[in-house]
Amino acid sequence: MDNKAMPQFPDSYWRESVRLPAFPKLSEDITVDVAIVGAGISGITTAYLLAKEGVKVALIDAGLILNGTTASTTAKITAQHDIIYDQFIHQLGEEKARLYYEANKDALRFIRKAVQEHSIECQLTKENAYLYTSSDSAIEKLEKEFAAYKQLGIPGEFLDSLPIPVPAKAAVVMKDQAQFHPLQYLTALMHAFIDAGGSIYENTIAVEADLGSKPKVITRDGHKITCQHVIACSHFPFCDLHGFYFARLYAYRSYVLGVKTEKEFPGGMYLSVDQPSRSLRYTTMGNGDRLVLFGGENHKTGQGIPTINHYEALQDFAAGTFGIKEIPYRWSAQDLVTPDNVPYIGPITSSEENILVATGYRKWGMTNGTAAALLLRDLVLERDNPYRELYAPSRSSTGQSIKTLIVENADVAKHLVEGKVELIQMRPETLVNDEGAVVDIGRRAGAYRDEQGTLHMVETTCTHMGCEVEWNSGDRTWDCPCHGSRFSITGEVIEGPAERPLEKIEE
């Protein structure tokens, strides 16, 4: 195979480069103080923090631990979350904009302290974070963002060039940020959680929260976890309780290539403010080679051009900047965005204080997920926390967030209708090996012929709210363009909010 060609199948470097322990499936009813659903950075960090306080915690995951969004991150630990602070000042006010920065700065400080306290080998390095533009039209945006830095007291500089071979017209740098290997870090926290008496269960699907005299998490197998608090760290909350999260969260996908480059990467973390976006950082592989992570190509899940084209665009960018020796890894990530770009962290509704959620990190899960854990700990322990109102899921909508809600839900309605009237020209017998498509079998169906020639067919109606899923050629999945649910080639749920699989069609 040509070393400069992309891998045939997606595979995250983070996941491939660590050996994670296996945990049992929950097989009985249990009672704990807190049940946490979702074993990514938020779930594991929250579990660790609570266990340190003597709280009895059970952590469950529908699949394998650290196999979701946390395994697909670029793992930048920074409070520089794209162009955001100018927007926050105008939409949320200066105080809340400053609180957002402080919360993420606290998260970075916590990660550094945890790494030192537990002597964690996770390639934690101090790096500067850069926002840049290669176009004249976006210079003013960066100037306004830098003015917001000065207004909020955020240390930074305005530059007209970068230390990487990208033609930047302007840039804003936030110094003394960080990067790490997220799974090495979280594996250490997970072991510390277990040492403190915590329990972990894999392949345990939470389907319902019973709010009787005591909250209970009910699994698909009918087992119950009785507790004082339930915390949903599962992307879309596994239970909604009339919070209407499916209508207040929007799913976006982005892509990463792990590249061994011809030119040496000088360090630093970079993000373009132009579209399509471009993100760069490096990590050091086990053999000492540097792997440069080229990311970007953000789009709504299930919508847009064939997804393999996004990987190809990143391949062209890598070749044109640092050159390509080899591309050993490629993967994609799914992230949820709120209407005002601030995560939802806190009680699931204003009337239900014992069910907590953490979601909507907008691709910045390393700091937002850690900030969530620190806030969730304080909410459970009934401690004051300065960020409670900022992140409250029941907070009032701003004018801009109301407009976003209207636009996004109109988009959902559009795709709901379009999927039902689509003209389909493909037939199952026309598919070659390793090809998938929506096909006509007398009705709409999804078909994928694997490398061995076996045909897998599923119904294409999403089991969440009835939209029609589309084929994702880059990752070989069925993706819903309405609310971001994703399914495997055989119909199993990969991402919610859908809970039930697509129905299989037998030939």
Side-chain angles (χ1 to χ4, degrees), residues 323-343:
I324 297 172
K325 287 184 181 177
E326 183 183 354
I327 308 176
Y329 299 96
R330 71 174 175 94
W331 68 88
S332 65
Q334 181 147 310
D335 294 277
L336 298 180
V337 181
T338 68
D340 62 3
N341 291 323
V342 178

Side-chain angles (χ1 to χ4, degrees), residues 145-180:
E145 186 70 357
F146 182 58
Y149 279 28
K150 291 193 288 187
Q151 184 175 345
L152 298 173
I154 300 173
E157 291 182 25
F158 193 85
L159 308 172
D160 59 8
S161 64
L162 293 174
I164 58 173
V166 172
K169 298 283 183 75
V172 173
V173 60
M174 186 181 291
K175 295 187 175 181
D176 296 335
Q177 306 300 287
Q179 63 182 23
F180 67 167

Side-chain angles (χ1 to χ4, degrees), residues 228-276:
Q228 298 292 334
H229 290 87
V230 177
I231 302 177
C233 299
S234 53
H235 246 197
F236 277 95
F238 73 96
C239 60
D240 195 274
L241 300 182
H242 303 295
F244 299 103
Y245 285 87
F246 67 87
R248 298 196 292 137
L249 289 164
Y250 320 118
Y252 283 80
R253 296 202 67 72
S254 55
Y255 301 82
V256 180
L257 293 183
V259 181
K260 294 182 181 179
T261 57
E262 293 175 346
K263 298 177 184 176
E264 184 176 354
F265 190 83
M269 307 182 299
Y270 306 86
L271 178 66
S272 72
V273 301
D274 309 315
Q275 294 301 321

Side-chain angles (χ1 to χ4, degrees), residues 24-39 55-62 193 198-232 238-239 354-355:
K25 184 177 184 178
L26 183 66
S27 59
E28 60 182 352
D29 294 352
I30 61 173
T31 299
V32 294
D33 298 320
V34 176
I36 301 176
V37 179
V55 178
K56 186 177 182 181
V57 180
L59 174 63
I60 69 172
D61 197 278
F193 165 63
S199 54
I200 299 175
Y201 301 93
E202 294 181 314
N203 300 305
T204 301
I205 301 173
V207 296
E208 186 181 349
D210 182 348
L211 304 182
S213 56
K214 281 189 175 182
K216 296 180 181 67
V217 173
I218 302 174
T219 72
R220 179 167 291 174
D221 294 333
H223 300 301
K224 295 174 181 165
I225 306 175
T226 302
C227 53
Q228 298 292 334
H229 290 87
V230 177
I231 302 177
F238 73 96
C239 60
N354 289 342
I355 312 291

Side-chain angles (χ1 to χ4, degrees), residues 14 74-75 179-180 265 268-269 280-283 291-293:
W14 309 127
T74 53
Q179 63 182 23
F180 67 167
F265 190 83
M269 307 182 299
L280 299 92
R281 65 152 287 193
Y282 78 93
T283 188
L291 188 74
V292 181
L293 307 184

Side-chain angles (χ1 to χ4, degrees), residues 408-478:
E408 293 289 347
N409 286 295
D411 181 67
V412 168
K414 171 191 169 189
H415 283 276
L416 178 60
V417 173
E418 284 182 348
K420 305 299 183 185
V421 299
E422 176 185 7
L423 179 63
I424 302 166
Q425 298 179 336
M426 292 282 287
R427 296 279 302 171
E429 56 269 22
T430 64
L431 296 175
V432 299
N433 288 6
D434 193 28
E435 182 182 15
V438 173
V439 297
D440 181 5
I441 59 170
R443 67 184 191 278
R444 195 182 201 270
Y448 170 72
R449 192 177 299 279
D450 65 25
E451 292 182 292
Q452 290 71 45
T454 302
L455 186 67
H456 306 271
M457 288 202 298
V458 294
E459 299 286 356
T460 59
T461 301
C462 180
T463 56
H464 175 229
M465 291 189 70
C467 292
E468 298 299 319
V469 299
E470 301 292 345
W471 176 243
N472 177 334
S473 59
D475 298 320
R476 296 171 178 81
T477 58
W478 295 103

